[in-house]
Amino acid sequence: MSKIKVGVVGTGFIGPAHIEALRRLPNVEVAALCEVSQELAESKAAQLGIERAYTFEELLKQDDIQSIHICTPNFLHYSQSKAALEAGKHVICEKPLAKDLAEAEELVELAAKTGLVNAVHFNLRYYPLARQMRVMREKGDLGEVYSIIGSYLQDWLFYNTDYNWRLEPDKSGDSRAIADIGSHLMDIIEYITGLKTVAVMADFNTIHKTRKKPLKPVETYSGKMLQPEDYADVPINTEDHANVLLRFDNGNRGVITVSQVSAGRKNQMKLEIAGSKKTFAWNSEAPNEMWVGNRDGYNQTLTDDPSLVYAEARSVISFPGGHNEGFPDTSKQMFREVYEAVAAGKQPENPTYPTFADGYRELLICEKILESNRKQSWVEV
Ligand SMILES: NC(=O)c1ccc[n+]([C@@H]2O[C@H](COP(=O)([O-])OP(=O)(O)OC[C@H]3O[C@@H](n4cnc5c(N)ncnc54)[C@H](O)[C@@H]3O)[C@@H](O)[C@H]2O)c1
């Protein structure tokens, strides 16, 4: 069997997670990577056991590379996705798809014109119980959605000495916590419930108005090693914390809170979706259990067991019940679906995986959230 050859762009935190997930697929070979410089690319290639190392421009010239994974800081997603599509490559881009809506719109149009496979790595959809919640809603088990409470909390930017490119709007975009982790939340809420967000009312807070920027580069999550003399003071103008009220197209309401300064919360997305028949509650830090609340009769706990979930959710579970799956498995399951499309050579009519159009949708909501925070009033989506 000839394997589909893949090139990965950017190998900081999430690039190696893509590589590991891709290596678990039987029909894919991670053949090459690229980095900011040829030198860094070569050292990363040696470290990650990948044969070929290039600059971005050189990578795109490789005729045998069929698909490209964009795992760079947000400001590069647009130009790199565009160049990869123009070079005839299928593209799997990290979230958020672009820095702003205009860029995302152009990418959606270009991808549609080429017919190439396009996907955005909203991998949290691929927790099996996220799929199960969606399928239960589709089959009518949840009933009409009455309300949604969502949160995404982290603590890796808790101290004013914590620093990353995400704190700089020219690299991250005008939003930080909402664009970085709120993006997953906005995507998964619409994915599970099938509702559309039609209006938002946002209130942001920047806890650390000044942060200490390291005078040498640090990769995501690795800033804890520096000493006081290694920093310079910089003003911060993006949100550490955001509350957003949501109105949905069924007339009902929700609320989300996003924070990157919640001590002890490492990477916790929580959802509570109350319907006319049941309530679902789920937490990404304990992803193999889901609480099902009933007004009449006992509440229930559903575990991530292929024999207990609907067949549509079973397809994203690889192990029997009790053999816990987690964050790395989400990317594997998503890429499995994406690479079925790559093997067929084109974007299917109704992809099961998140596409550039979903990336556009999330950016649209994000942009309205920013506008609402600026105006301190409701904004329609
Ligand atoms: N889906 C998820 O769960 C998830 C998780 C983390 C990050 N992300 C997304 O992944 C992207 C990268 O985040 P990260 O945390 O890995 O960042 P990072 O800073 O750890 O890594 C970025 C990498 O890109 C490289 N790079 C920079 N410019 C480049 C260029 N011109 N060409 C090639 N490589 C270049 C850097 O050298 C670095 O190795 C972001 O858009 C982020 O939103 C998604």
Side-chain angles (χ1 to χ4, degrees), residues 8-18 34-37 40 44 54-57 70-77 80 93-97 120-124 152 154 156 164-166 171 179-181 183-184 218-222 267 327 330-331:
V8 174
V9 183
T11 55
F13 164 55
I14 204 70
H18 282 237
C34 83
E35 259 296 343
V36 264
S37 65
L40 184 59
K44 288 293 188 120
Y54 300 107
T55 58
F56 181 67
E57 292 68 28
I70 312 280
C71 302
T72 48
N74 304 355
F75 76 104
L76 291 164
H77 294 181
Q80 291 182 332
C93 184
E94 262 306 339
K95 43 52 59 176
L97 174 59
V120 175
H121 191 226
F122 284 124
N123 54 313
L124 304 192
Y152 202 141
Q154 297 182 328
W156 69 287
N164 185 266
W165 56 261
R166 289 168 174 80
K171 300 197 178 62
D180 193 27
I181 51 179
S183 51
H184 279 299
V218 271
E219 281 178 357
T220 304
Y221 292 131
S222 56
N267 187 44
F327 183 83
T330 59
S331 302

Side-chain angles (χ1 to χ4, degrees), residues 99-130:
K99 233 169 49 154
D100 60 49
L101 204 55
E103 288 182 353
E105 193 170 7
E106 199 185 322
L107 288 178
V108 171
E109 277 168 20
L110 179 62
K113 211 163 74 189
T114 62
L116 291 161
V117 170
N118 58 91
V120 175
H121 191 226
F122 284 124
N123 54 313
L124 304 192
R125 288 186 185 193
Y126 285 80
Y127 278 112
L129 294 178

